[in-house]
Structures are given as C-alpha cells and as structure tokens.
C-alpha cells in the first residue's frame, strides 16, 4: 500500500499542487514573483519561524476619503501583493487607514498575500477600551485573523499584554508585540521585551537616529524578538532626504547595490543583524519600487555600515 503521509516525495508533490492551486485562485498579477538572482530577501520572525520580506509598508498616510486619493494607494498595494507575506503596518490612530486598507485589500482579493500588522492602546490600563479597539480593527481590516497586534507607544502595555497573549492562544492574533517611536521610551521597551514573551518590537531607528542599537536591539537579540523599524526614512518631519538634497550618491554605494538615497538609508538599517524588516511609509508606486530595491541584492556589512555613518556624520545638518 502506498502511504502518502510517509512518502516525502509525494508529500512534496502534493504541497506543490496545493501551492499552485492557491496561486491560481489569485488574480494573475498577484501571483508570486518567480525567484531570480534578485529575489526579495526574507527573514524569519524568530518565535514562529515565519518569513517576511525585509521591506514592508507603513500606512500612516492612508487615512484618505476620496476615490482619487485611494487610487495611488491601490496601486501600491497591488504591487506589494506580488511579493509573499509583506508586512503592511497600520493603526487605529492613523485616521481611517485601517478601513481604507480593508476596503482596498478586499477589492484586490489579496488578503492572503499580506502580513497585516496593527496596534492597540489601553489608556490608563483600560483593557475594555483596548478590546473594543481590537474588535473595531478586525471589522475595519475585514479579516478574521490579524497577523500582528502591537501595543502602540507602550500605552497600557502591562495591562493589555495578557489579553493579547490570550487572543493569540485563541488564534485571532498570530503574533503580538509593542511599538515605540521615541528614544525616551527605549529603556521601557527593552524592559518589556525582557519581561514578556513578545514576538515583535517595532522601534524607531535610522542612520540619523541610532539610539535603539544600545537599548532595544540587544534586548531583542537576547530574547529572539523580531525587530521592525518605523520611521526608517526619518518620517515626514525629520526626513533623511533633506540632508542629501544636493549630495550625489557616493560611488561606493554600488558595493552594496544601493542605487538611490532611499535604498542606501534602508540598506544601512537592514545591515544591522538585529533588524528583521523596515517599514517605510509611502503613498506612491514609484517610491515603493525604489524602497523594494533595498530588499534585494547585497547589504552593507559592519565595515560598510561604519563608512556610511562616517559619511553621514560629516554632512552638514539640513
Ligand atoms: N509609534 C509607532 O508605532 C509608529 C510611529 C511612526 C510610524 N510608524 C509606522 O512606521 C511607518 C513609517 O514611518 P513614516 O511613514 O512616518 O516615515 P518614513 O517611512 O521614515 O518616511 C515616510 C516619508 O518618506 C517618503 N518616502 C517614502 N519612500 C520614499 C522614497 N523612496 N523616496 C523619497 N521619499 C520617500 C514618503 O512620501 P510618499 O508618501 O510621497 O512616498 C513620506 O513622506 C508609518 O507609516 C507607520 O506605519 C509607527
């Protein structure tokens, strides 16, 4: 008798058939890119082993209202869906960004292509308010399962983390974590990483903001916590681009295959061994393409990162 369960080649074949059928259920443009020499780099979330592309998407500017405003965002999501399991990061506080994402993702039929991440707060330890917020996130995102739920800016973290852990055990959340975008909270974030079994920490870090290297990163590395980076391009206020407006890209950027300033900035961060993925925010397809280029090819090693830092530190402030 042929026992499928114990025949690895047959199991592999069936898995291949299942994957091919799943891919065919998606619109043609949404099928995974064929692996090539320049395939997107992926890294594993240590606690689950799940792989995510190293360049995801921040959506704090996705809180829009009109069809004209939604059109470029649809293009961005459609392009990103060609990769498998990209992180799309949102929050209830980004105006109606969650609802816009839910609508566009449903319309494109690409929910399985994304690793959806959102956030929750429990102000003054009010867990009931956090629970209400999370229920609203499920409705707005039009999904039964959220891939990652993080406590936003550590607000009410100790109060609500046990609820997040419970919802994870129940299967409604797949990963849990915390976020901060303020250096002042890094010590507290590191303490939470040491105290709770968190899958992910999302933190501010870039060439111009390296504090997390000495606080959050070592705690995350010691505990096997994945590190996602917010404001990796300096954000809308402190943009890194302002400082290099009239500066040509140095020729040595080619050594780690950075073809633009955005790629140099993102590759710099991805070159740190603690970092799992960066979440640049963009509302434009051309900028997404540029950012995705940072997730392919070579990355700077420790020496190249030191050279980038020396170059950056010598530039006049914008
Ligand atoms: N505490 C927290 O939890 C927290 C705080 C802040 C942010 N976040 C998350 O992190 C994400 C990223 O942060 P952010 O969006 O504030 O800042 P960011 O990613 O550092 O920068 C976004 C800005 O850069 C521009 N940009 C993006 N790609 C570009 C490119 N290739 N070339 C030139 N300009 C480019 C964007 O403009 P266009 O839209 O025109 O491309 C936008 O103005 C947020 O969207 C959010 O999801 C979380």
């Amino acid at each position: 008798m042929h026992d499928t369960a114990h025949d690895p080649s047959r199991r592999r074949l069936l898995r291949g058939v299942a994957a091919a059928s799943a891919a065919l259920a998606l619109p043609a443009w949404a099928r995974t890119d064929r692996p090539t020499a320049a395939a997107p780099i992926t890294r594993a979330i240590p606690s689950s082993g799940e792989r995510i592309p190293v360049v995801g998407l921040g959506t704090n500017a996705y809180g829009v209202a009109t069809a004209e405003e939604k059109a470029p965002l649809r293009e961005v999501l459609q392009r990103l869906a060609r990769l498998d399991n990209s992180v799309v990061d949102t929050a209830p506080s980004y105006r109606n960004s969650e609802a816009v994402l839910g609508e566009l993702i449903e319309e494109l039929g690409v929910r399985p292509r994304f690793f959806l991440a959102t956030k929750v707060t429990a102000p003054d330890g009010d867990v009931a308010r956090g629970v209400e917020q999370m229920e609203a996130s499920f409705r707005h995102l039009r999904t039964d399962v959220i891939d990652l739920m993080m406590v936003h800016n550590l607000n009410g973290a100790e109060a609500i983390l046990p609820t997040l852990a419970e919802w994870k055990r129940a299967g409604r959340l797949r990963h849990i974590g915390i976020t901060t975008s303020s250096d002042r909270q890094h010590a507290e974030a590191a303490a939470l990483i040491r105290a709770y079994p968190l899958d992910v920490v999302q933190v501010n870090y870039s060439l111009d903001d390296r504090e997390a290297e000495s606080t959050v990163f070592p705690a995350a590395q010691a505990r096997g916590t994945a590190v996602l980076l917010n404001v990796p391009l300096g954000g809308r206020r402190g943009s890194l681009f302002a400082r290099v407006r009239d500066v040509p890209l140095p020729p040595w950027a080619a050594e780690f295959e950075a073809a633009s300033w955005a790629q140099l900035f993102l590759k710099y961060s991805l070159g740190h061994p603690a970092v799992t993925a960066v979440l640049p925010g963009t509302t434009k397809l051309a900028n997404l393409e540029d950012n995705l280029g940072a997730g392919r090819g070579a990355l700077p090693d420790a020496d190249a990162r030191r050279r980038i830092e020396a170059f950056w530190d010598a530039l006049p402030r914008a």
Side-chain angles (χ1 to χ4, degrees), residues 85-147:
N85 217 28
S86 295
V87 179
V88 175
D89 179 71
T90 183
S93 56
Y94 302 161
R95 299 173 60 206
N96 60 327
S97 154
E98 285 188 330
V100 169
L101 286 171
E103 179 189 326
L104 294 177
I105 289 170
E106 186 174 274
E107 201 181 293
L108 291 164
V110 291
R111 171 66 189 93
R113 306 298 293 161
F114 292 135
F115 183 100
L116 277 187
T118 191
K119 313 190 184 90
V120 62
T121 58
D124 303 317
D126 187 345
V127 173
R129 232 167 108 188
V131 165
E132 251 171 59
Q133 245 182 54
M134 290 197 285
E135 293 292 3
S137 293
F138 280 100
R139 284 195 303 278
H140 293 147
L141 289 166
R142 305 187 191 189
T143 188
D144 295 329
V145 177
I146 290 176
D147 299 294

Side-chain angles (χ1 to χ4, degrees), residues 25-241:
L26 292 161
W29 54 261
R31 288 174 209 151
T32 316
D33 287 337
R34 288 170 75 85
T36 63
I41 305 166
T42 62
R43 285 182 182 158
I45 296 172
S47 60
S48 66
E50 183 159 326
R51 299 195 76 85
I52 52 172
V54 295
V55 177
L57 175 70
T59 67
N60 63 4
Y62 277 48
V64 300
T66 67
E68 289 70 32
E69 290 170 318
K70 287 176 196 167
L73 311 183
R74 182 185 297 103
E75 285 183 352
V76 168
L77 292 169
Q78 184 163 346
R79 168 65 184 94
L80 195 64
R82 281 166 50 198
L83 278 74
D84 190 17
N85 217 28
S86 295
V87 179
V88 175
D89 179 71
T90 183
S93 56
Y94 302 161
R95 299 173 60 206
N96 60 327
S97 154
E98 285 188 330
V100 169
L101 286 171
E103 179 189 326
L104 294 177
I105 289 170
E106 186 174 274
E107 201 181 293
L108 291 164
V110 291
R111 171 66 189 93
R113 306 298 293 161
F114 292 135
F115 183 100
L116 277 187
T118 191
K119 313 190 184 90
V120 62
T121 58
D124 303 317
D126 187 345
V127 173
R129 232 167 108 188
V131 165
E132 251 171 59
Q133 245 182 54
M134 290 197 285
E135 293 292 3
S137 293
F138 280 100
R139 284 195 303 278
H140 293 147
L141 289 166
R142 305 187 191 189
T143 188
D144 295 329
V145 177
I146 290 176
D147 299 294
L148 170 61
M149 181 65 74
M150 294 163 287
V151 184
H152 204 167
N153 295 334
L154 316 181
N155 189 347
E158 305 228 32
I160 199 149
L161 277 171
T163 308
L164 264 55
E166 235 172 73
W167 287 31
K168 181 180 160 185
R169 280 192 295 275
R172 294 187 81 192
L173 307 175
R174 298 183 56 247
H175 301 84
I176 62 174
I178 53 174
T179 82
T180 174
S181 58
S182 161
D183 293 358
R184 285 192 305 276
Q185 286 190 320
H186 286 180
E188 190 185 342
L192 286 166
I193 291 167
R194 286 190 282 267
Y196 291 89
L198 303 177
D199 302 299
V200 170
V201 57
Q202 186 191 120
V203 63
N204 53 304
Y205 178 79
S206 72
L207 186 48
D208 203 36
D209 179 12
R210 300 173 214 149
E211 205 285 333
E213 265 180 22
S214 51
T215 46
V216 175
F217 288 6
Q221 283 178 297
R223 285 282 273 172
T225 309
V227 175
L228 304 181
L229 301 185
N230 58 37
V231 288
L233 299 171
R236 275 153 225 277
R237 271 165 288 172
S239 172
L240 301 185
F241 297 104

